[in-house]
Amino acid sequence: MSKRTTPVVAGEKAGSKRTKAEEPGIRILGPEEFAVLVADLLPTT
């Protein structure tokens, strides 16, 4: 992870990547949170 990484999407069994993201305080989103974030950016038809 770098200082410019933000946010990280991680499920329950993300392992060491999640741990590495937690150390510098990078925001971690669950899959559901990410889906809501992306849905807000998609155009509606």
Side-chain angles (χ1 to χ4, degrees), residues 21-42:
E22 290 172 340
E23 290 172 6
I26 294 172
R27 182 177 174 199
I28 299 172
L29 301 174
E32 296 83 12
E33 292 173 287
F34 180 71
V36 170
L37 180 66
V38 171
D40 287 345
L41 299 174
L42 295 175

Side-chain angles (χ1 to χ4, degrees), residues 1-18:
M1 305 290 152
S2 78
K3 292 179 182 181
R4 298 181 344 177
T5 301
T6 181
V8 170
V9 179
E12 290 181 29
K13 298 181 181 181
S16 66
K17 296 237 183 214
R18 182 182 183 116

